[in-house]
Amino acid sequence: MTDTKLFVPSSQANEPSQDVSVAMDNDLICNFKKCRKRLTAFAWVTSCSHIFCDEDGTREFNKCYTCPACETSLSDKFDIVRIDLQPSEQYKSMVLAGQRPEVIMEICSRAMSFWTYQSHQERTYQEYMCNKAKERSVQLEKYYEQVLTTTQTELSSLKNQISANRKELESTKKRFNEVSEKLMERNRQHQKLQVRL
């Protein structure tokens, strides 16, 4: 597959990042569901408002021009763009130079809309994961409550059985002692009879 539709700004092709002071809380997340790592260097953005890490974007867009997140067809030249998330000061100085203020504002507005969409999607995802975790927690709590109830019931039953066994043992010992005494008494009587004879 050719790279004619993957737009890479010339100022970013081989230029290393100079500004690394990016706050972790403001980092975007790779939208590839098996990845989801924080993006701090190069990334691929799409016209359908998704963003992917350099590895996933390069791999997926070399296969086909379809968004891995929403399966939107990305056939136009600027539907897929590779960007530097830590652009140099020179690049920031030149990228919009010469554009009319209304064009600059429109570009900034669209960029802010992209960021807002990503933030909303991430918040929605985190809320979903939080709700799933809460549901799982409630399920586990109910499960272990049932396990605890069952265990307590079994323990109570075992205690009752042990108590019954002890009573039966005491009763058996008592009967044994009674039988032993009777046997000893009969033995004594038998010996007396033998002496008389």
Side-chain angles (χ1 to χ4, degrees):
M1 179 176 289
T2 62
D3 292 336
T4 55
K5 295 181 183 177
L6 304 182
F7 180 66
V8 182
S10 58
S11 64
Q12 301 172 13
N14 297 308
E15 184 176 325
S17 300
Q18 295 178 5
D19 181 14
V20 295
S21 57
V22 179
M24 287 290 285
D25 290 342
N26 291 329
D27 292 340
L28 294 176
I29 304 295
C30 178
N31 293 166
F32 194 71
K33 66 179 181 179
K34 293 183 179 179
C35 177
R36 291 195 49 76
K37 69 181 177 184
R38 290 184 178 276
L39 305 175
T40 57
F42 289 96
W44 294 91
V45 296
T46 66
S47 58
C48 53
S49 296
H50 291 110
I51 187 167
F52 305 93
C53 67
D54 205 22
E55 295 83 357
D56 290 327
T58 300
R59 182 188 67 249
E60 295 299 317
F61 296 134
N62 277 332
K63 293 178 184 176
C64 62
Y65 300 125
T66 302
C67 178
C70 66
E71 299 183 353
T72 297
S73 176
L74 305 169
S75 56
D76 292 339
K77 180 178 180 181
F78 295 105
D79 278 349
I80 308 169
V81 179
R82 185 173 184 260
I83 62 168
D84 186 352
L85 297 175
Q86 297 176 9
S88 65
E89 291 301 319
Q90 182 180 10
Y91 177 77
K92 288 188 281 187
S93 299
M94 299 301 296
V95 66
L96 293 177
Q99 296 292 345
R100 297 190 308 275
E102 59 269 24
V103 174
I104 295 172
M105 291 304 296
E106 183 180 357
I107 293 172
C108 291
S109 175
R110 293 185 182 187
M112 290 303 296
S113 294
F114 179 91
W115 186 276
T116 301
Y117 173 78
Q118 282 291 315
S119 298
H120 172 73
Q121 289 296 101
E122 180 61 21
R123 185 170 61 253
T124 302
Y125 175 80
Q126 293 298 337
E127 288 174 353
Y128 168 77
M129 294 302 294
C130 182
N131 289 334
K132 292 291 286 184
K134 286 180 180 178
E135 289 175 5
R136 179 62 176 162
S137 176
V138 169
Q139 290 175 351
L140 286 173
E141 186 177 354
K142 288 181 179 179
Y143 170 75
Y144 284 114
E145 281 178 355
Q146 291 176 350
V147 170
L148 181 60
T149 300
T150 302
T151 304
Q152 288 175 338
T153 302
E154 291 176 352
L155 182 60
S156 178
S157 176
L158 287 172
K159 285 181 178 179
N160 291 336
Q161 186 176 348
I162 290 171
S163 179
N165 288 340
R166 283 178 178 170
K167 289 180 180 178
E168 184 178 352
L169 179 60
E170 291 297 326
S171 177
T172 302
K173 284 181 178 179
K174 187 176 179 181
R175 289 198 304 270
F176 175 77
N177 290 334
E178 291 173 353
V179 170
S180 295
E181 288 176 0
K182 288 180 180 179
L183 180 62
M184 289 174 64
E185 180 62 27
R186 287 185 180 181
N187 283 335
R188 282 194 296 270
Q189 291 176 357
H190 178 69
Q191 288 174 357
K192 287 179 182 180
L193 287 173
Q194 284 183 337
V195 169
R196 289 179 183 176
L197 293 173

